[in-house]
Amino acid sequence: MPLINKLILGTVQMGIPYGVNNKAGQIPESESLNILRLARESGIDTLDSAEAYGSAHQIIGGYNRENQKKPFNVITKISGGINNHTVEEKLQTFLRELHLEKLDGLMFHSFGAYQEHLHLMDRLSLMKEKGVFRQLGVSVYNNEEIATLIDDDRVDFVQLPFNLLDNISQRGEMIERAKEKRKAIHTRSTFLQGLFFMETTSKHRITEALAPQLLRIRELALEESVSINTLALGYCLTQENIDNVLIGVDSVTQLKKNLEAASFVLSKDTMNSINSLIVKNKALLNPSLWG
Amino acid sequence: MGLNTLLITQARTGSTRLPGKVLKIILGKTLLQIHLERLSKCKLVDAILVATTSSPDDNVIYKNAIEWGYYSFAGSEDDVLDRFYQAALPHSPTWVVRVTSDCPLIDPALVDKVVKFSIEKNADYCSNTLLEHYPDGQDIEVFKFEALSKAWKLADKKSEREHVTPFIRNNSDFKGGQNFAAVNFPCEKNYSHIRMTVDEQKDLDLITRLTEAKGLDKSWLDYTNYIIDHDLLAINKDITRNEGLLKSLSKEE
């Protein structure tokens, strides 16, 4: 299978202002449609969305309505207001918005959200059997959360952060355990919020703390004669145990760059060098703690 | 179809006394995340929305909230009444619950009680702060979206725009007014001398001590009793409650 098929395209930037500056952040609808068209033609068939992503559902739905022969599969997430009585209606609303007959995936935004909705799991399993959605997933932050989830047979996939620094040394063993339990593995945070592209001389607390590792990443990219972007994406896509890799783009140009990067296969040596990059302080790898 | 109850928490990084306070980290989590994870346990809240400002410094709050699965809104820095109204409007809730994210240990069960009480009383405005008997840091206000709309249309004093509910409170029957029916959610004892909100470093010190001892998922009363039993009151006792509101009122005098 070509590696491009592993890519899942995020849609948060299409639905709400999400760029570096709030104001400039939202992609114009026409550009969103161009991105979706190119993605679909290039072999990406699944989108990641959420109820909380503003008008993202409507934009995807607009595309799917015009392209009924080749619509996008969609993984989406619920933000609130669900109980045993309302969840079915909520998912039917999603299907209408997305112009789909079946959701590819329904995902909990967090391990906490999964725990708070355990009482809904039987109902959700029933809806899966009825064909409302194909797979149930949970977005997680740490390995302890994955360890709990792999024992729940109702969970089909987990989505975890994974990248050049939050790498096999941190995640490999847990990913293998999850695979043994036949969970699909989706990863996000491929570029660690742009950290790999930042100058190590910048006065950012995190780049200072991670300077040795970030410099090593630069060296490895030079040795392979590829961009850091390619190295970062290639590292995730080349992992056999990773089924899907989530990326987000702001423009058609960025998507093109990532599509080119996606066909690059990293050498064993480079993979091993990346695997040996170790970050002891795990808090440095969690952007929500950067402040 | 709108939501029945929408909880809106206001959050920003700017703070004169403790800059970036909601992003301070305790037990590996930011205060904002602790606050939101506790609120996620509310049974009578249909959805949670984080209302921050459109200042670039607050983009991190806006994005984190979305990633964690909450609705997020970036609005006016100074007209917080407008920020709240604009945030709530697309969700057309019947009831709005207001809390602030400098209260990391807000108790979800207490929120549920105030919500239930408000609905039973069919009050325009209900809060456990009309009489300030709960510890500072457990402040909960529940009001009808209709009341918020009315305040948004009518309020014109600066202090009534910089904060969300003074207009409703000042014009409620609780204060002798006629526009809004308001009820206080009572507390059995007066705990107003206890502070578990975060305005200054000393408050953060107390919260750190408290959560290292008791964890992140205790009730307001468990935390309160721990503070009293272990004599932690001295850590942050001389700080004025609601200094922000008092400041905007004094500017008007």
Side-chain angles (χ1 to χ4, degrees):
Chain A
M1 188 174 90
L3 294 178
I4 281 179
N5 296 135
K6 280 190 175 186
L7 287 175
I8 291 179
L9 186 65
T11 60
V12 61
Q13 301 91 331
M14 300 179 188
I16 52 168
Y18 195 72
V20 181
N21 302 304
N22 282 343
K23 298 267 187 262
Q26 188 168 355
I27 307 173
E29 189 169 341
S30 57
E31 179 80 351
S32 291
L33 290 172
N34 288 336
I35 292 171
L36 292 176
R37 236 170 265 132
L38 175 63
R40 196 71 183 87
E41 284 163 13
S42 311
I44 297 176
D45 61 11
T46 306
L47 302 176
D48 172 89
S49 195
E51 193 180 6
Y53 295 171
S55 56
H57 275 188
Q58 281 71 24
I59 286 166
I60 300 168
Y63 177 92
N64 282 347
R65 199 175 314 113
E66 301 296 314
N67 297 275
Q68 297 195 21
K69 284 189 187 138
K70 252 180 114 182
F72 274 106
N73 297 324
V74 179
I75 297 172
T76 194
K77 317 170 202 90
I78 295 177
S79 266
I82 48 162
N83 55 45
N84 268 310
H85 305 292
T86 57
V87 66
E88 181 139 17
E89 192 189 318
K90 173 83 83 176
L91 294 189
Q92 294 299 340
T93 307
F94 288 178
L95 289 174
R96 274 195 303 278
E97 288 171 349
L98 295 164
H99 216 267
L100 287 171
E101 280 168 15
K102 181 174 186 164
L103 287 174
D104 184 67
L106 182 66
M107 185 157 86
F108 288 107
H109 269 286
S110 65
F111 184 73
Y114 155 80
Q115 282 181 312
E116 276 141 34
H117 293 97
L118 282 173
H119 60 284
L120 278 186
M121 292 299 269
D122 287 340
R123 172 60 62 107
L124 289 175
S125 298
L126 203 68
M127 293 178 64
K128 190 169 86 178
E129 272 172 43
K130 278 168 62 181
V132 180
F133 62 92
R134 184 176 70 85
Q135 52 175 352
L136 186 70
V138 183
S139 167
V140 300
Y141 275 91
N142 59 49
N143 289 344
E144 292 74 35
E145 291 172 352
I146 306 174
T148 309
L149 286 173
I150 58 180
D151 290 323
D152 187 338
D153 292 335
R154 299 164 299 191
V155 174
D156 303 300
F157 70 100
V158 290
Q159 188 209 63
L160 63 148
F162 187 88
N163 53 57
L164 295 170
L165 293 182
D166 204 341
N167 57 22
I168 285 291
S169 73
Q170 308 268 4
R171 306 288 187 182
E173 197 189 319
M174 191 49 71
I175 289 176
E176 258 174 44
R177 279 179 56 193
K179 290 304 280 187
E180 279 164 22
K181 299 268 187 169
R182 290 183 306 170
K183 305 295 181 209
I185 302 294
H186 296 198
T187 67
R188 65 172 186 276
S189 211
T190 308
F191 306 111
L192 198 51
Q193 294 223 345
L195 187 78
F196 305 139
F197 310 115
M198 282 175 75
E199 292 295 330
T200 48
T201 50
S202 70
K203 280 271 164 254
H204 188 282
R205 182 173 68 85
I206 307 300
T207 51
E208 278 178 7
L210 293 173
Q213 289 91 341
L214 293 172
L215 284 170
R216 183 74 186 119
I217 287 172
R218 270 159 207 246
E219 281 173 16
L220 288 169
L222 278 175
E223 283 167 24
E224 282 270 15
S225 312
V226 294
S227 66
I228 292 175
N229 189 90
T230 301
L231 191 76
L233 188 57
Y235 180 68
C236 301
L237 289 173
T238 311
Q239 306 291 334
E240 280 178 18
N241 277 336
I242 291 178
D243 299 277
N244 290 106
V245 176
L246 175 67
I247 56 162
V249 299
D250 290 336
S251 62
V252 168
T253 317
Q254 254 189 34
L255 175 62
K256 281 186 184 154
K257 213 164 73 177
N258 282 300
L259 289 168
E260 283 164 26
S263 52
F264 180 79
V265 179
L266 266 63
S267 72
K268 263 248 142 44
D269 280 354
T270 303
M271 291 292 273
N272 288 336
S273 303
I274 297 168
N275 291 345
S276 64
L277 290 171
I278 290 168
V279 176
K280 288 222 173 73
N281 180 359
K282 291 196 179 76
L284 293 172
L285 300 175
N286 183 349
S288 74
L289 300 179
W290 291 351
Chain B
M1 193 192 71
L3 292 166
N4 192 27
T5 47
L6 173 68
L7 182 144
I8 303 181
T9 179
Q10 63 192 66
R12 56 181 301 180
T13 53
S15 159
T16 41
R17 286 181 286 175
L18 187 61
K21 62 184 179 183
V22 302
L23 301 177
K24 298 279 178 199
I25 295 167
I26 288 179
L27 302 179
K29 291 179 178 178
T30 59
L31 295 185
L32 180 63
Q33 194 180 358
I34 293 169
H35 172 78
L36 289 168
E37 285 181 358
R38 284 178 64 85
L39 288 168
S40 299
K41 299 197 168 75
C42 291
K43 301 231 177 336
L44 298 179
V45 165
D46 292 321
I48 296 175
L49 185 153
V50 177
T52 189
T53 84
S54 49
S55 148
D57 290 343
D58 289 333
N59 201 20
V60 52
I61 292 179
Y62 177 76
K63 282 188 171 182
N64 280 338
I66 292 162
E67 186 176 332
W68 296 331
Y70 305 100
Y71 291 113
S72 195
F73 180 84
S76 171
E77 277 185 80
D78 302 320
D79 189 345
V80 187
L81 176 56
D82 181 67
R83 196 201 308 169
F84 249 69
Y85 174 75
Q86 303 295 350
L89 190 61
H91 301 278
S92 26
T94 309
W95 298 92
V96 175
V97 183
R98 174 176 178 257
V99 294
T100 56
S101 60
D102 53 4
C103 301
L105 299 182
I106 187 103
D107 185 332
L110 185 60
V111 172
D112 279 340
K113 280 184 191 163
V114 182
V115 171
K116 185 160 177 272
F117 190 74
S118 314
I119 296 173
E120 277 168 9
K121 299 279 175 191
N122 195 25
D124 294 313
Y125 175 91
C126 173
S127 175
N128 64 346
T129 62
L130 282 167
L131 300 171
E132 291 180 340
H133 287 174
Y134 278 90
D136 191 357
Q138 296 294 339
D139 304 6
I140 299 156
E141 299 174 285
V142 179
F143 40 88
K144 289 181 181 164
F145 179 66
E146 279 169 33
L148 179 66
S149 305
K150 206 171 184 182
W152 181 77
K153 283 188 198 101
L154 298 176
D156 54 9
K157 275 191 217 160
K158 209 167 171 224
S159 65
E160 293 174 342
R161 310 277 333 175
E162 279 181 350
H163 299 271
V164 182
T165 54
F167 182 85
I168 301 178
R169 291 165 66 114
N170 293 340
N171 294 287
S172 72
D173 54 6
F174 199 85
K175 298 266 172 90
Q178 294 180 343
N179 282 337
F180 305 100
V183 283
N184 183 60
F185 182 84
C187 192
E188 279 179 18
K189 279 202 247 175
N190 187 347
Y191 292 103
S192 56
H193 57 301
I194 309 274
R195 278 178 66 86
M196 48 181 87
T197 183
V198 180
D199 280 330
E200 297 189 8
Q201 183 59 42
K202 288 185 271 185
D203 295 320
L204 190 63
D205 296 342
L206 178 129
I207 299 280
T208 307
R209 287 269 299 271
L210 192 55
T211 52
E212 280 174 356
K214 299 293 286 177
L216 296 173
D217 56 0
K218 293 292 183 294
S219 72
W220 72 271
L221 193 54
D222 285 343
Y223 289 126
T224 300
N225 286 334
Y226 187 88
I227 291 173
I228 296 169
D229 294 345
H230 293 78
D231 219 10
L232 302 185
L233 278 164
I235 297 178
N236 64 346
K237 68 175 173 2
D238 296 321
I239 303 175
T240 316
R241 187 166 181 149
N242 292 335
E243 198 183 80
L245 175 60
L246 297 177
K247 235 196 263 170
S248 37
L249 284 173
S250 73
K251 273 190 239 152
E252 270 165 24
E253 275 162 11

